[in-house]
Amino acid sequence: MKPILSVKQLNTRFETFDGNVYAVNDVNFELMAGETLAVVGESGSGKSVTMLSILGLLPISTARVSGHAFFNKNVKAVDLIVLPANALNRYRGKHISIIFQDALRSLNPVQTVGEQISESLMTHLGYGKRKSYRRAVELLEMVGISQPDKRYYSYPHMFSGGMRQRAMIAIAISCSPDILIADEPTTALDVTIQTQITELIRRLQREMGMTVIWITHDLGVVAGIADRVMVMYAGTGVEISPVDQLYESPQHPYTEGLLGAIPNISATGKKRLVSIVGAPPDLFQEPAHCQFAWRCPYVFEKCWKRIPPNFKIGEGHLSKCFYDLKLKQPRTEV
């Protein structure tokens, strides 16, 4: 089965007065139809920029994106990276949609919530005003907003944080996209609302048959929602794995550190959480070796000489590390 999205050698740099910022470096992954891929990593690891690069949502004056992102909805794959803006608009929102992490800043403050949902329907599906109104009300009800016919005329500042996030989801799913990118959709929400939003997205995925990319820094959430996980560090995917394998046997030191920092209430006795020493690398420097080498407890001479390739650990499990965490010895390159 062909992947619905295939990203190859994706690179993004930002041109600034102080030099180039190498934000995304040689990212490669495939997304199968119907699955949930979680993208995890600390703040600044390139999770959101990777997805914004694919969708062409970065400022054209400073962002330089290269590589490929093949969307395989039709018989012929379309490379989203090379499409001009007017052609890319036919895919954004209709086939690939995104829930931004800050709903208050993402929603237009001078348009009603209903108008913003209707705009997407009229733009991509050619709905008239009356039909788009009816569908917008249905979508507001679908995402759990009470009195949707009245809330249609409400402005974003009149909604609570959880309601704004639900409105963002309504906009994102309005055209029944093939791929939904959820960019930390529960950020700044309390625990109860986080659970509600997570369950809402999972339910909509099942009902609408969507493929989901879930961006988060919370590995505790990932275990319950994802089929596969891509761990990102310093702008690159350092490990990709089925979710069960990742938790049972992490094969990159950074992944091991992230998992070791999760509190475990079922653990017996006292156990200190893992702290990853040091700081992320300077992204003004083009990567020339393993970016995690400064912080890695297993670093050795080879790590400083070149960037590690993707080592195949098992079926669907890849790791960019010269060191075998299972055998506790350097890997043998084929």
Side-chain angles (χ1 to χ4, degrees):
M1 185 171 63
K2 288 184 178 181
I4 191 169
L5 181 67
S6 181
V7 176
K8 298 181 179 180
Q9 297 177 321
L10 182 67
N11 293 275
T12 303
R13 74 176 193 273
F14 294 100
E15 296 178 349
T16 73
F17 291 113
D18 297 320
N20 291 330
V21 176
Y22 295 88
V24 176
N25 304 294
D26 193 29
V27 168
N28 299 269
F29 68 90
E30 291 184 338
L31 185 67
M32 308 307 292
E35 78 168 337
T36 298
L37 173 69
V39 182
V40 303
E42 61 193 306
S43 297
S45 60
K47 306 183 298 296
S48 298
V49 175
T50 295
M51 302 308 155
L52 294 176
S53 299
I54 293 170
L55 293 176
L57 294 176
L58 296 174
I60 59 174
S61 58
T62 57
R64 300 293 176 262
V65 180
S66 62
H68 306 280
F70 295 103
F71 178 64
N72 295 299
K73 168 68 175 178
N74 303 313
V75 177
K76 185 178 180 182
V78 177
D79 189 354
L80 302 175
I81 301 298
V82 301
L83 285 182
N86 59 343
L88 189 56
N89 281 337
R90 294 199 292 268
Y91 292 90
R92 288 187 300 219
K94 184 176 182 180
H95 295 291
I96 306 176
S97 195
I98 185 168
I99 305 168
F100 295 102
Q101 55 182 288
D102 190 342
L104 184 60
R105 288 199 305 172
S106 302
L107 292 168
N108 189 332
V110 298
Q111 277 189 315
T112 67
V113 169
E115 286 174 338
Q116 295 181 62
I117 301 173
S118 295
E119 182 181 15
S120 180
L121 294 166
M122 290 187 286
T123 300
H124 294 293
L125 302 182
Y127 283 13
K129 287 186 177 182
R130 184 172 297 179
K131 188 176 181 181
S132 65
Y133 166 78
R134 289 197 299 265
R135 180 56 178 161
V137 170
E138 289 175 4
L139 287 163
L140 287 172
E141 185 175 18
M142 189 184 297
V143 298
I145 293 179
S146 60
Q147 298 181 306
D149 53 336
K150 295 181 180 179
R151 291 296 187 179
Y152 179 96
Y153 298 102
S154 297
Y155 289 90
H157 72 273
M158 301 166 71
F159 277 20
S160 66
M163 290 174 65
R164 282 194 292 266
Q165 202 63 33
R166 290 173 186 270
M168 280 293 302
I169 294 170
I171 295 171
I173 67 168
S174 59
C175 299
S176 301
D178 301 289
I179 300 173
L180 177 66
I181 301 171
D183 188 359
E184 301 198 38
T186 58
T187 297
L189 301 177
D190 62 58
V191 176
T192 303
I193 303 300
Q194 284 183 19
T195 304
Q196 292 175 2
I197 295 298
T198 301
E199 288 302 319
L200 171 62
I201 295 173
R202 293 180 67 189
R203 176 175 62 81
L204 292 171
Q205 180 185 15
R206 290 192 300 269
E207 293 175 356
M208 303 177 73
M210 293 184 297
T211 304
V212 174
I213 298 176
W214 193 292
I215 301 173
T216 182
H217 60 268
D218 188 350
L219 276 167
V221 172
V222 168
I225 63 172
D227 300 301
R228 290 190 302 128
V229 183
M230 178 169 70
V231 180
M232 292 196 68
Y233 181 78
T236 193
V238 295
E239 185 167 5
I240 301 177
S241 169
V243 65
D244 293 339
Q245 290 185 32
L246 188 88
Y247 281 83
E248 291 171 6
S249 180
Q251 290 298 308
H252 193 282
Y254 180 60
T255 310
E256 184 181 58
L258 290 178
L259 292 172
I262 300 176
N264 186 356
I265 60 173
S266 63
T268 57
K270 294 181 179 180
K271 184 181 178 182
R272 294 184 65 87
L273 297 178
V274 171
S275 176
I276 303 176
V277 298
D282 182 4
L283 295 182
F284 280 103
Q285 300 296 321
E286 185 174 4
H289 53 73
C290 176
Q291 293 290 77
F292 193 62
W294 288 280
R295 310 173 73 182
C296 182
Y298 309 108
V299 64
F300 60 103
E301 186 180 0
K302 195 178 200 177
C303 305
W304 297 104
K305 291 185 176 179
R306 61 190 179 93
I307 298 172
N310 265 322
F311 289 91
K312 186 174 181 179
I313 310 301
E315 188 63 34
H317 194 167
L318 302 172
S319 175
K320 278 190 173 183
C321 183
F322 289 120
Y323 192 81
D324 191 319
L325 268 67
K326 189 173 183 179
L327 300 177
K328 301 299 180 184
Q329 65 182 33
R331 299 187 195 277
T332 301
E333 292 190 64
V334 179

